Amino acid sequence: AQPFSYRYPLVDGQGNWGSLEDDAAAYRYTEARLTKFSSILLSEIDQGTVDFKPNFDGSKIEPVTFPSRLPHILLNGSTGIAVGMATDIPPHNINELANACMMLLDNPNATLTDILSVVQGPDYPTLAEIITPKSEIAKIYEQGRGSIKAGAVWQKEDGKIVINALPYQTSPSKIIEQIAAQMKNKKLPMVDDVRDESNRIDFDALMDHLFATTELEKSFRINMNMIGLDGKPAVKNLHTILTEWLSFRRTTVTRRLNYRLDKILDRLHIIEGLIIAFLSINEVIE
């Protein structure tokens, strides 16, 4: 439900659902409903698109997978640790992913380089800038692992430094603490008299120092380890992920169309019976 935690929140939360400072309200003070993005995952679930299995205690049935009209594992990403392995998949832009999928549909021979002309890189929930060179990003998507670096967005305003966006999962209060600690330990002499000598400070040098010593700049591990169509975990490159998802999607769409076809054939069977009855209406009445 948190727009600063999830690139495309699946839950629309009312009430205090927390902030970057981790101050959420008790459950009884909050309400929730699904967002429109949840329909990307769920909208075709009642159209015969997926298999169902018993839940943990056998009292209900639940879907084995969701129909997923877009590759959600790339939309919102995923982070976790399992037995002997970990995953760190970054979130991505929904329009870029959709365009990449259409490119592969139109041209199954499209290469990873072609895909990267559409997918610029990860798209984290905050507005911080990704500062990793494009060549390194391409290598990450080719190998399925690496590290992405993002930095805060700032500007000069009336002799002051205004920070407009922080890297993903960075707490404002923590950065303030980090800066305060440096001032206290005399490691930030240029800030001591900022009110009196703001016009003499080299803002760029100051920010370069803060980027290097605080969480204004942050690295994010990427390890695109996921369970594929074969049911086994593996680290995959971007081209493989999208190709596998398109295969899954083709199966899903085929099942949806067959489900509709069966409904239509059932209806036609009934209509044929009604036609026979209509043509012999007097006998039917009698």
Side-chain angles (χ1 to χ4, degrees):
Q2 296 176 333
F4 52 85
S5 297
Y6 241 48
R7 180 63 182 85
Y8 299 104
L10 301 179
V11 171
D12 179 10
Q14 182 167 308
N16 183 2
W17 280 73
S19 69
L20 286 168
E21 309 301 348
D22 236 10
D23 54 344
Y27 290 147
R28 63 183 177 277
Y29 300 129
T30 57
E31 294 180 2
R33 62 183 175 187
L34 294 179
T35 63
K36 288 182 179 177
F37 281 106
S38 294
S39 68
I40 291 174
L41 277 173
L42 297 166
S43 61
E44 299 166 341
I45 204 160
D46 58 349
Q47 297 176 40
T49 49
V50 295
D51 294 326
F52 282 75
K53 64 176 183 181
N55 69 341
F56 67 98
D57 65 354
S59 61
K60 298 178 181 177
I61 58 167
E62 62 185 14
V64 176
T65 57
F66 286 150
S68 187
R69 292 173 64 200
L70 278 173
H72 183 263
I73 198 161
L74 292 176
L75 272 184
N76 273 318
S78 183
T79 300
I81 299 172
V83 181
M85 62 186 70
T87 185
D88 287 283
I89 303 168
H92 292 80
N93 184 277
I94 190 170
N95 296 309
E96 291 181 3
L97 282 186
N99 289 333
C101 290
M102 287 190 285
M103 176 189 283
L104 278 170
L105 280 174
D106 292 338
N107 177 19
N109 296 320
T111 64
L112 180 61
T113 304
D114 297 328
I115 293 169
L116 293 182
S117 67
V118 176
V119 179
Q120 301 296 302
D123 189 6
Y124 291 99
T126 64
L127 297 174
E129 293 177 333
I130 289 176
I131 53 181
T132 303
K134 279 197 169 185
S135 57
E136 282 187 38
I137 293 175
K139 196 178 292 183
I140 290 168
Y141 282 130
E142 185 182 344
Q143 298 173 350
R145 51 165 58 98
S147 180
I148 289 276
K149 192 174 282 186
V153 177
W154 67 280
Q155 66 187 57
K156 287 183 274 189
E157 203 172 277
D158 299 328
K160 297 174 185 174
I161 292 171
V162 178
I163 296 169
N164 299 312
L166 294 175
Y168 179 52
Q169 291 181 331
T170 300
S171 162
S173 61
K174 186 171 183 182
I175 289 175
I176 291 168
E177 282 176 24
Q178 290 171 335
I179 295 173
Q182 290 194 47
M183 291 174 69
K184 185 178 178 182
N185 297 327
K186 307 293 184 186
K187 291 184 178 178
L188 210 57
M190 66 278 272
V191 176
D192 278 348
D193 299 310
V194 68
R195 289 183 183 174
D196 300 329
E197 302 180 43
S198 57
N199 58 338
R200 299 185 195 176
I201 290 176
D202 184 340
F203 282 175
D204 292 316
L206 169 59
M207 291 308 292
D208 285 345
H209 172 82
L210 291 178
F211 276 126
T213 58
T214 71
E215 287 192 4
L216 285 175
E217 189 173 286
K218 203 170 178 180
S219 290
F220 302 96
R221 197 173 72 133
I222 290 180
N223 179 28
M224 298 208 282
N225 190 7
M226 64 186 72
I227 295 174
L229 294 179
D230 59 1
K232 299 174 183 176
V235 176
K236 302 175 188 290
N237 68 35
L238 184 62
H239 187 280
T240 303
I241 296 168
L242 291 177
T243 304
E244 274 200 36
W245 178 80
L246 283 171
S247 175
F248 164 81
R249 185 64 190 152
R250 279 193 183 93
T251 303
T252 306
V253 171
T254 303
R255 288 183 62 160
R256 188 189 74 204
L257 294 173
N258 282 331
Y259 178 83
R260 287 177 60 190
L261 178 61
D262 288 343
K263 290 277 187 188
I264 290 167
L265 291 175
D266 287 347
R267 180 65 184 152
L268 284 174
H269 185 64
I270 291 169
I271 289 172
E272 283 173 11
L274 291 172
I275 290 171
I276 292 169
F278 180 74
L279 294 175
S280 311
I281 192 69
N282 291 330
E283 292 176 45
V284 169
I285 291 169
E286 205 173 296

